[in-house]
Amino acid sequence: MATASTASRITRKIGIAVKKAASRNKGWYDLHMAAASGAIAQRLPLVDLVAEIRDARIPLSSENELLRDFPALSKRIVVMNKIDLADQTQVKLLNFIQAQVRGLCKANHHASETITIMLVGIPNVGKSALANSLHQMGRISAAEKGRLKHATVSPQPGETKDISSFKQYNGVFHAQHLHLQIGSHPSIYLLDTPGILPRMIHDAELCSKLVLTGGGAIRDGLIEQKELARYFLTILNLSDQYKKWAKFSTNEDRLLSFIEHKVEDSISSKLEMRQKKQHMMDHTQDLIVNDVRGTIFDTISCFDGNIELEEDMIKLMEAELVALREAFRVPQGLGEYVYNRVVSVKLLDLYRTGRLGHYTLDTLPLTLHHPL
C-alpha cells in the first residue's frame, strides 16, 4: 500500500538520523549497559524461569536481543507491559506465574524448592514497576501477609540474585544482589535486571520506534523533537483515531467558553490572572487536550491533498504543527524553531501518556504459531 510505504520512508529517515547521531555521540550503549549485559548472560542459565517484558506498543521491536543467544532456554514467557494494567490483570499474571512454578516443581519433584524468575527487557519497559506490583500482590495473597520483603542474598552461583543496581570499584562495575519475593510454598523470587539494548541496531525503523515510544530506551536528544512529532503525526494521520474526535471540533460552545474565560480574566486580580495563565499553559488539562484533538480533527478533515503521497503528508503535518500552536496556547513572538519545539514536546507527551489514542507500531503477523 502507498500509505504504508509513506510511513516506512518517514520512519526510516528518522531511524537513519538517530543512528548517525548515535555514532557521533556515545549513543545508547554505555559501561552500565555493557556490565548489565554480561551479568545477565552469566546468570540466565542459572535461573528457573525467564520473563521477558515487552512494550505492548512495539511488541516485536522491544524484543530483548540478548535472549537470542540462549535458544536452549526451556522456560521463557513474554509479558506485554505498558497497557495500563489494572489490578485484576496483575492478579491474573501473578496466578499465571505461580501456575508455571508449580509445573516446574512437579517436573523436578521438589515441592519445596525455591524458584528464581529473571525479568529481562529493554530500558524503561516497566520491569521494576511490574516487579514491585507483583511483590505487593504477592504480599496481599500470601498467608503470611507482610512477611514478603526485600532481602540481600549471596552472590554465589545458583542462589537467588538481582542485578538491578551497580557499584563501581577501580573502574569496573559490579552487581549488587537483591531480590523480591512474590510467593511462598514454594518460595518464588523475582530477579529484576537493568534494561539493555544491543551495541548496534541495524534496523532504522526499529530505532525510530524505540525513540518515539519514549521512556529512555533511546534518548530523545539524538534527534530533533519536531522530527519525532512528525513521525507520530504520520501514524495518527494514517489511522482512524482522529475520526473519534469529531465532537471536539471547533464550534460555538467552545467559542463561548473561550469568551467566558476572557471575561473572567478581565475582572480578576493580577495574581488570579497569573494563576489562570499557568493553568492554561498546562497541556495536560482536559480543556487543552480536547482542543488539541479538535484541532487535529479539523486540520485532517479540511485537508484536500492525498496523504498516500509523501509530499502531501508532509504538508498536512506542517499544517497540523502550525494549528496546534493555538491549541497548546503557545505564546506569540517566539521564533519558528522554538514554536516547533514547544508544540512537538507537548504533542509527544500527550501521545506517550495515551491522551491521543493507543497505537501498535509493529505490524503483527495475521497468525501466530504456538508450539505444543
Side-chain angles (χ1 to χ4, degrees), residues 138-247:
R139 291 185 59 165
I140 293 173
S141 63
E144 65 277 20
K145 180 179 178 182
R147 290 177 58 190
L148 301 182
K149 57 185 180 180
H150 291 82
T152 302
V153 297
S154 168
Q156 296 301 317
E159 296 191 21
T160 306
K161 44 216 163 292
D162 192 331
I163 46 178
S164 58
S165 59
F166 289 85
K167 282 190 175 181
Q168 185 175 11
Y169 302 101
N170 299 323
V172 180
F173 288 92
H174 299 269
Q176 291 180 297
H177 304 293
L178 302 170
H179 67 277
L180 282 172
Q181 187 176 1
I182 65 169
S184 58
H185 310 299
S187 295
I188 309 172
Y189 292 93
L190 285 182
L191 168 58
D192 192 12
T193 66
I196 59 171
L197 291 170
R199 186 182 299 273
M200 295 293 296
I201 299 178
H202 301 285
D203 188 333
E205 291 193 33
L206 192 153
C207 280
S208 299
K209 294 170 184 176
L210 291 175
V211 176
L212 180 61
T213 48
I218 297 180
R219 65 181 186 273
D220 283 355
L222 291 175
I223 192 170
E224 291 288 345
Q225 295 296 289
K226 180 182 177 182
E227 296 305 311
L228 282 182
R230 288 172 60 175
Y231 177 24
F232 165 62
L233 287 173
T234 300
I235 296 167
L236 189 156
N237 294 340
L238 292 174
S239 74
D240 292 328
Q241 177 65 45
Y242 78 95
K243 296 178 182 178
K244 302 176 182 178
W245 300 335
K247 60 184 177 182

Side-chain angles (χ1 to χ4, degrees), residues 244-263:
K244 302 176 182 178
W245 300 335
K247 60 184 177 182
F248 303 121
S249 177
T250 303
N251 54 45
E252 294 180 0
D253 291 337
R254 285 173 62 196
L255 179 60
L256 178 60
S257 175
F258 177 77
I259 295 174
E260 288 173 349
H261 278 290
K262 287 291 187 181
V263 173

Side-chain angles (χ1 to χ4, degrees), residues 33-45 66 118 163 166 175 177 194:
M33 195 170 291
S37 299
I40 292 172
Q42 289 178 354
R43 288 159 178 77
L44 269 173
L66 178 65
M118 177 184 283
I163 46 178
F166 289 85
H177 304 293

